[in-house]
Each structure stands twice: as C-alpha cells, then as structure tokens.
Amino acid sequence: MAKRLCIKTYGCQMNVYDSGRMADLLAPLGYAAVDDAAEADLVILNTCHIREKAAEKVYSDVGRLRDLRLEREARGEGSITIAVAGCTAQAEGAEIMRRAPAVDLVVGPQAYHRLPELIARAHRTKGEALDTDFPVDSKFDGLPAQTRVEGSAAFLTIQEGCDKFCTFCVVPYTRGAEASRPAAAVLAEARHLASLGAREITLLGQNVNAYGAGEGWSLGRLVRALAEIPGLERIRYTTSHPRDMDDELIEAHAQVPALMPFLHLPVQSGADRILDAMNRRHTADDYRRVIERLRKARPDIALSSDFIVGFPGESEAEFQATVDLVAEIGFAQAYSFKYSPRPGTPASMMADCLPDDVKSERLARLQAAIAKGQRQFNEACVGRVLPVLFDRPGRHPGQAVGRSPYMQGVHADLPAELMGRIVDVAITSAHPNSLGGRLVGATEAAA
Ligand code: SAH
Ligand code: SF4
Ligand code: F3S
C-alpha cells in the first residue's frame, strides 16, 4: 500500500536541501509526499536549534502530531510515525525521546542515509531508533540522486559543519566539523540538476566559502567549473564568513558572469569589542575592507547580512555602531535577531545578560535601519532592466514571481510558456520587499 510522507522543515536552506534528499530517499520505498500532516503515515520534523524559540517548537509540534495520531487510531485508520530530524535532534536527541515519548525516532543530520533502517527499527521496537552519530560513511554517498527540480532553481550542499566556534552559536555542535564534498561529486550533482531543468544553483554550506576539497579546490575554482555546465545560467552560494573571502573567490565575482552579484555575508555586529567577544576573529574594518574588494571586483554587487542585537554586555554605543554600519554599507536586505543564549555555548555562560525589553527595542531600531536601506536599494532599481528567473505563479491570474540577480522578488505578467525561464523585465515599481515590472525585448516582439 502506498504510504504518505509529510516533512515539516524549519531553519536554514541546508535543512530545505536535506528535506528534499530525505523525500528522494523514501520515495522508492513507496512514500508519496503530502502537505498535510493529518494525512501522513510518516511525519518528519526537520528541526532547527539556532535560537531557543526554534528549538522549543519541536515539542509543540510533537504534541499536535500525537493528538492527530490518537484521532486517527480512534477512527481505525492506522497510525502516524513521528520522526525528529535536524539540528535539535542532533543536539538533544536523548532528551527529546525522554520529554516527548510520542516520538518514534530521532535522526541527526549526518545519518539521513540510514533513515529506512531507522524507520524499520522504530516500527519493530520503540525507543531504540536514535541515530545521532557522525558516521564515517558520508551520508551523501548513501543518498540517491534528486528526481526533480522545482521552479528551475535548486540547492546543492557542498560543505557541512563549522570550525569557527562563534561563542553564541550551536552549529559547530549540531553539524560537526567542517567537511567538504569532493569536487567531482559536486560537479556530477550539478550536471544532474541542470539535466532536470535547473538554471540556477545555490551552493550551500554552514561556512560555504571555507570549501576546500583537496587538490587545490576552493570555492572560487568550483564556481568557475560550475559555470562551464551547459544550461546552468546562475550560480549563488551561502552562507559565507568574512574571513574566508579569498582572492580567488573575489576574482570569480569579477570574471564569472554566471556568478550572481549578490552576497550574504554576515557581520553580526559593528562593534569590535562585541565581535571579539563573539570570537568572530575579524573587526568591523576588516569587514569594510572585504566589502571594498568585492565592490571593486563587481561594482553592482548587492549585500546582505545577519545581525545579533543584545549580545551579553552590548552597550548602547556598541549597538549604535551596528546601526551606523548598516547605514554605511547599504545592505540590499538583512536578517536580525535578538541574542538567544544556547546551552553548551561559551556566550551562554557570560555575565551581563541584557533584559528582553532592551533587546526588543534595539531589534526594532536596527530593523528600521535595515528596512530603510532595503527600500533605497529597491527604489534605485526602478527604471532599470533586470533579468528575472520566473519560478512561481503570482497572486493575480497571469502574473508570475521571479528573482532578480540581487535576490529581489519581482512580479510581472508572464505568458505561461516563459515560466522557469530568465526574462528581461523593465522595473516599474518598488515595494518594501519586492519589485514590479513588465517584460521587454524578445517577449514583446513575440506578443
Ligand atoms: N554560518 C552562518 C550562519 C549561521 S546561523 C554564519 O556564520 O554567519 C544564522 C544566523 O543566526 C547567524 O548569522 C546569527 O546571526 C544568528 N544566530 C546564531 N546563533 C544565534 C543566537 N544564539 N542568538 C541569536 N541569533 C543567532
Ligand atoms: Fe555559527 Fe559562527 Fe560557524 Fe556561522 S561561522 S555557523 S555563526 S559558529
Ligand atoms: Fe538551524 Fe541547523 Fe540550519 S541550527 S540554522 S537548521 S544548520
């Protein structure tokens, strides 16, 4: 009998990629994907541990699934297997099993290739299906190839784990040490994705620009090799660390047209004392210099960042340095978070925790500064013609939404046959989070 699988994905794009690979792994075993957990036989919660709120979500989700399961069983319609995957599974697998007995199996991010075996084991004996090892056999070798690409854009994980140990961050503990996939495997997967219709590939890694797979492979060299693949028109990569922006990668921004002029490069804070306490191992000026080099290589490059406000001991003046940096750099977009102490991290042991209302107030001020920069960036695009990769339907009939090179959402009326293609769009309007426009060139002639 066909089985139904529902995967709920939280956290970053690496989890999105992993969820896709888990679905591909389970499809040959008869699991068809469904959106509604109430209709599923197997539900996988692919969790995130980065902030407390994200990590706690798993317990409320499991509670809801347990109720659904009881209703299903009462109707005599079978049961629901509940699996917890992702970074919270890795960080507190045993605790999840204890606190949430409804959970049937727990699987860490490095053990997904063992899912079929774990599911079978969970069905036989409850309470033994926990796998949070970092196995030596790479999960990538044990996962089947992707079967489809949605909307002409695909993610490709090339690196996992992190050796940076920023004092606030759980990732080095949940994803383990930095490890890069061999270039040959990455190139083969990229060719496969292109053959499935991917025109854009985003290379993923917790620290993607630390990519290095021996024999002189760096991210810059990998980008050049990927740009040779027929059909692949756009390359992006995320997330990068300022310390790993080497010359080869910056040069690729100058020389490889397929490498999109957009970079998410988190800086976290504009104050050197805080950067030091965060163990970022760069100053605000180091960051400015990286941006300068990037802009020299690719003058139209758009920038994005992550910020943490309310790190232990952050003074008003130090916070203001962050706001000033935002105004100075001019980010096309950025994410900002209230500092959240995470178990086991050095920062969680630091004194001088700030009260939540101070964090909230700072977050609001920073977000206003970020929104202002984003509005200015979007407004400056009005009147330009931008190539847009259209990948999903818009809100109104006949309308589609796509991405500009700078990662802005762009909506325009689009003939159905151009879905999944890159089309020139004259930008006519700017909104806080998106742009509007109309098609130009070849398409007008065809109309
Ligand atoms: N590897 C990436 C991002 C990792 S997590 C990097 O080095 O930048 C994504 C973002 O979450 C981080 O950039 C940081 O801004 C935020 N973050 C991580 N830990 C956090 C914590 N304990 N509290 C609040 N925000 C956090
Ligand atoms: Fe976390 Fe820092 Fe590593 Fe990014 S570089 S994943 S913030 S430890
Ligand atoms: Fe969250 Fe893990 Fe990604 S903690 S941000 S899902 S690497």
Coordinates of all heavy atoms in Angstrom, one line a residue, residues 21-69:
R21 N 16.3 15.7 0.0 CA 17.0 14.4 -0.1 C 16.4 13.3 0.6 O 16.4 12.1 0.2 CB 18.5 14.6 0.3 CG 19.3 15.7 -0.4 CD 19.3 15.5 -1.9 NE 19.9 14.2 -2.4 CZ 21.2 14.0 -2.7 NH1 22.0 15.0 -2.6 NH2 21.6 12.9 -3.1
M22 N 15.8 13.6 1.8 CA 15.1 12.5 2.5 C 13.9 12.1 1.8 O 13.6 10.9 1.7 CB 14.7 13.1 3.9 CG 15.8 13.2 4.9 SD 15.3 13.5 6.6 CE 15.4 15.3 6.7
A23 N 13.1 13.0 1.1 CA 12.0 12.6 0.3 C 12.4 11.7 -0.8 O 11.8 10.7 -1.1 CB 11.3 13.9 -0.2
D24 N 13.5 12.1 -1.5 CA 14.1 11.3 -2.6 C 14.5 9.9 -2.1 O 14.3 8.9 -2.9 CB 15.3 12.0 -3.2 CG 14.9 13.3 -4.0 OD1 13.8 13.4 -4.4 OD2 15.8 14.1 -4.1
L25 N 15.0 9.8 -0.9 CA 15.4 8.6 -0.4 C 14.2 7.6 -0.1 O 14.3 6.4 -0.3 CB 16.2 8.8 0.9 CG 16.7 7.6 1.8 CD1 17.7 6.8 1.0 CD2 17.2 8.1 3.1
L26 N 13.1 8.2 0.4 CA 12.0 7.4 0.8 C 11.0 7.1 -0.3 O 10.2 6.2 -0.2 CB 11.3 8.1 2.0 CG 12.2 8.2 3.3 CD1 11.5 9.0 4.4 CD2 12.6 6.8 3.8
A27 N 11.1 7.9 -1.4 CA 10.1 7.7 -2.5 C 10.2 6.2 -3.0 O 9.1 5.6 -3.2 CB 10.4 8.7 -3.6
P28 N 11.4 5.7 -3.3 CA 11.4 4.3 -3.8 C 10.9 3.3 -2.8 O 10.5 2.2 -3.2 CB 12.9 4.0 -4.0 CG 13.6 5.3 -3.9 CD 12.7 6.3 -3.1
L29 N 10.7 3.7 -1.5 CA 10.2 2.7 -0.6 C 8.6 2.9 -0.5 O 8.0 2.3 0.4 CB 10.7 3.0 0.8 CG 12.3 2.9 0.9 CD1 12.7 3.2 2.4 CD2 12.8 1.6 0.5
G30 N 8.1 3.7 -1.4 CA 6.6 3.8 -1.5 C 6.0 5.0 -0.8 O 4.8 5.1 -0.7
Y31 N 6.9 5.9 -0.3 CA 6.3 7.1 0.4 C 6.1 8.2 -0.6 O 7.0 8.7 -1.2 CB 7.3 7.6 1.4 CG 7.4 6.7 2.7 CD1 8.3 5.7 2.9 CD2 6.4 6.9 3.7 CE1 8.3 5.0 4.0 CE2 6.4 6.2 4.8 CZ 7.4 5.2 5.0 OH 7.4 4.4 6.1
A32 N 4.8 8.6 -0.7 CA 4.4 9.8 -1.6 C 4.3 11.0 -0.7 O 3.7 10.9 0.4 CB 3.1 9.5 -2.3
A33 N 4.8 12.1 -1.2 CA 4.8 13.4 -0.3 C 3.4 14.0 -0.2 O 2.6 14.0 -1.2 CB 5.7 14.4 -0.9
V34 N 3.0 14.4 1.0 CA 1.7 15.1 1.2 C 2.0 16.4 2.0 O 3.0 16.4 2.8 CB 0.6 14.3 1.9 CG1 0.1 13.1 1.0 CG2 1.1 13.7 3.2
D35 N 1.2 17.4 1.9 CA 1.5 18.6 2.6 C 0.9 18.6 4.0 O 1.4 19.3 5.0 CB 0.9 19.8 1.9 CG 1.6 20.2 0.7 OD1 2.8 19.9 0.6 OD2 1.1 20.7 -0.3
D36 N -0.2 17.8 4.2 CA -0.9 17.9 5.5 C -0.5 16.7 6.4 O -0.7 15.5 6.0 CB -2.4 17.8 5.1 CG -3.3 18.0 6.4 OD1 -2.7 18.2 7.5 OD2 -4.5 17.9 6.2
A37 N 0.0 17.1 7.5 CA 0.5 16.0 8.5 C -0.7 15.1 8.9 O -0.4 13.9 9.1 CB 1.1 16.7 9.7
A38 N -1.9 15.6 8.9 CA -3.0 14.8 9.3 C -3.3 13.6 8.3 O -3.9 12.6 8.7 CB -4.3 15.6 9.4
E39 N -2.8 13.7 7.1 CA -3.0 12.7 6.1 C -1.8 11.8 6.0 O -1.8 10.8 5.2 CB -3.2 13.3 4.7 CG -4.6 14.0 4.7 CD -4.7 14.7 3.4 OE1 -3.9 14.6 2.5 OE2 -5.7 15.5 3.3
A40 N -0.7 12.0 6.8 CA 0.5 11.3 6.5 C 0.6 10.1 7.4 O 0.1 10.0 8.5 CB 1.7 12.2 6.8
D41 N 1.4 9.1 6.9 CA 1.7 7.9 7.8 C 3.0 8.1 8.5 O 3.2 7.6 9.6 CB 1.8 6.7 6.9 CG 0.5 6.4 6.1 OD1 -0.5 6.2 6.7 OD2 0.6 6.6 4.8
L42 N 3.9 8.9 7.9 CA 5.2 9.3 8.5 C 5.3 10.8 8.4 O 5.2 11.4 7.3 CB 6.3 8.6 7.7 CG 7.7 9.0 8.1 CD1 8.1 8.7 9.5 CD2 8.7 8.3 7.1
V43 N 5.6 11.4 9.6 CA 5.9 12.8 9.6 C 7.3 13.0 10.1 O 7.7 12.5 11.2 CB 4.9 13.6 10.6 CG1 5.3 15.1 10.6 CG2 3.5 13.4 10.1
I44 N 8.1 13.7 9.3 CA 9.4 14.1 9.8 C 9.5 15.6 10.1 O 9.2 16.4 9.2 CB 10.5 13.8 8.7 CG1 10.4 12.3 8.3 CG2 11.9 14.2 9.1 CD1 11.4 11.9 7.1
L45 N 9.8 15.9 11.3 CA 10.1 17.3 11.7 C 11.6 17.6 11.5 O 12.4 17.0 12.2 CB 9.7 17.5 13.1 CG 8.2 17.2 13.5 CD1 8.0 17.3 15.0 CD2 7.3 18.2 12.8
N46 N 11.9 18.4 10.5 CA 13.3 18.7 10.3 C 13.6 20.0 11.0 O 13.3 21.1 10.5 CB 13.6 18.8 8.8 CG 15.1 18.7 8.5 OD1 15.9 18.6 9.4 ND2 15.4 18.9 7.2
T47 N 14.2 19.9 12.2 CA 14.3 21.0 13.1 C 15.5 21.9 13.1 O 16.5 21.5 12.5 CB 14.2 20.4 14.6 OG1 15.3 19.5 14.7 CG2 12.9 19.6 14.8
C48 N 15.4 23.0 13.7 CA 16.5 24.0 13.8 C 16.7 24.3 15.3 O 15.8 24.4 16.1 CB 16.1 25.3 13.1 SG 17.3 26.6 13.3
H49 N 18.0 24.5 15.6 CA 18.4 24.7 17.0 C 19.0 26.0 17.3 O 19.4 26.3 18.4 CB 19.4 23.6 17.4 CG 19.5 23.3 18.9 ND1 18.5 22.9 19.6 CD2 20.6 23.3 19.7 CE1 18.9 22.7 20.9 NE2 20.2 22.9 20.9
I50 N 18.9 26.9 16.3 CA 19.8 28.1 16.4 C 19.4 29.1 17.5 O 20.2 29.6 18.1 CB 19.8 28.8 15.0 CG1 21.1 29.6 14.8 CG2 18.6 29.6 14.7 CD1 22.3 28.9 14.5
R51 N 18.1 29.2 17.7 CA 17.6 30.1 18.8 C 16.6 29.3 19.6 O 16.0 28.3 19.1 CB 17.0 31.4 18.3 CG 18.0 32.4 17.8 CD 17.4 33.5 17.0 NE 17.0 33.0 15.7 CZ 17.8 32.9 14.6 NH1 19.0 33.3 14.7 NH2 17.3 32.4 13.5
E52 N 16.4 29.7 20.9 CA 15.5 28.9 21.8 C 14.1 28.7 21.2 O 13.6 27.6 21.2 CB 15.4 29.6 23.1 CG 14.8 28.8 24.2 CD 14.6 29.5 25.5 OE1 15.2 30.6 25.7 OE2 14.0 29.0 26.4
K53 N 13.6 29.7 20.6 CA 12.2 29.6 20.1 C 12.1 28.5 19.0 O 11.2 27.7 19.0 CB 11.8 31.0 19.4 CG 10.6 31.6 20.1 CD 10.0 32.7 19.3 CE 9.5 33.8 20.1 NZ 9.8 35.2 19.6
A54 N 13.1 28.5 18.1 CA 13.2 27.5 17.1 C 13.2 26.1 17.7 O 12.5 25.2 17.3 CB 14.4 27.7 16.2
A55 N 14.1 25.9 18.7 CA 14.3 24.6 19.3 C 13.1 24.1 20.1 O 12.8 22.9 20.0 CB 15.5 24.7 20.2
E56 N 12.4 25.0 20.7 CA 11.2 24.6 21.5 C 10.0 24.2 20.7 O 9.2 23.5 21.1 CB 10.8 25.8 22.4 CG 11.7 25.9 23.7 CD 11.7 24.7 24.6 OE1 10.6 24.2 24.9 OE2 12.8 24.2 24.9
K57 N 10.1 24.6 19.4 CA 8.9 24.4 18.5 C 8.7 22.9 18.4 O 7.5 22.4 18.2 CB 9.2 25.0 17.2 CG 7.9 25.2 16.4 CD 8.0 26.3 15.3 CE 6.7 26.3 14.6 NZ 5.6 25.6 15.1
V58 N 9.7 22.1 18.4 CA 9.6 20.7 18.2 C 8.6 20.0 19.2 O 7.8 19.2 18.9 CB 11.0 19.9 18.3 CG1 11.7 20.1 19.5 CG2 10.8 18.5 18.0
Y59 N 8.6 20.6 20.5 CA 7.8 20.0 21.5 C 6.3 20.3 21.2 O 5.4 19.4 21.4 CB 8.2 20.4 22.9 CG 9.6 19.8 23.2 CD1 10.7 20.6 23.1 CD2 9.8 18.5 23.5 CE1 12.0 20.1 23.4 CE2 11.0 18.0 23.7 CZ 12.1 18.8 23.7 OH 13.4 18.3 23.9
S60 N 6.0 21.5 20.8 CA 4.6 21.8 20.5 C 4.1 21.0 19.2 O 3.0 20.5 19.2 CB 4.4 23.3 20.3 OG 5.3 23.9 19.5
D61 N 5.0 20.9 18.3 CA 4.7 20.2 17.1 C 4.4 18.7 17.4 O 3.4 18.1 16.9 CB 5.8 20.2 16.1 CG 5.7 21.5 15.2 OD1 4.9 22.4 15.5 OD2 6.5 21.6 14.2
V62 N 5.2 18.1 18.2 CA 5.0 16.7 18.5 C 3.7 16.5 19.3 O 3.0 15.6 19.0 CB 6.2 16.2 19.4 CG1 5.9 14.8 20.0 CG2 7.5 16.1 18.6
G63 N 3.4 17.5 20.2 CA 2.1 17.4 20.9 C 0.9 17.4 19.9 O 0.0 16.5 20.1
R64 N 1.0 18.2 18.9 CA -0.1 18.3 17.9 C -0.2 17.0 17.1 O -1.3 16.4 16.9 CB 0.1 19.5 17.0 CG -1.2 20.2 16.7 CD -0.9 21.6 16.1 NE -0.1 22.4 16.9 CZ 1.0 23.1 16.6 NH1 1.5 22.9 15.4 NH2 1.6 23.9 17.4
L65 N 1.0 16.5 16.8 CA 1.0 15.2 16.0 C 0.5 14.0 16.8 O -0.2 13.1 16.3 CB 2.4 14.9 15.5 CG 3.0 15.9 14.4 CD1 4.4 15.6 14.2 CD2 2.2 15.7 13.1
R66 N 0.8 14.1 18.1 CA 0.3 13.0 19.0 C -1.2 13.0 19.0 O -1.8 11.9 18.9 CB 0.9 13.2 20.4 CG 0.6 12.0 21.4 CD 0.8 12.5 22.8 NE 0.1 13.8 22.9 CZ 0.5 14.8 23.8 NH1 1.6 14.6 24.5 NH2 -0.2 15.9 23.8
D67 N -1.8 14.2 19.1 CA -3.3 14.3 19.1 C -3.8 13.8 17.8 O -4.8 13.0 17.7 CB -3.7 15.7 19.3 CG -3.3 16.2 20.7 OD1 -3.0 15.3 21.6 OD2 -3.4 17.4 21.0
L68 N -3.2 14.2 16.7 CA -3.7 13.7 15.3 C -3.6 12.2 15.3 O -4.5 11.5 14.7 CB -2.8 14.3 14.2 CG -3.0 15.7 13.8 CD1 -2.0 16.1 12.8 CD2 -4.4 15.9 13.3
R69 N -2.5 11.6 15.8 CA -2.4 10.2 15.8 C -3.5 9.5 16.6 O -4.0 8.5 16.1 CB -1.0 9.8 16.4 CG -0.8 8.3 16.6 CD 0.6 7.9 16.6 NE 1.3 8.3 17.8 CZ 2.6 8.3 18.0 NH1 3.4 8.0 17.0 NH2 3.2 8.6 19.1

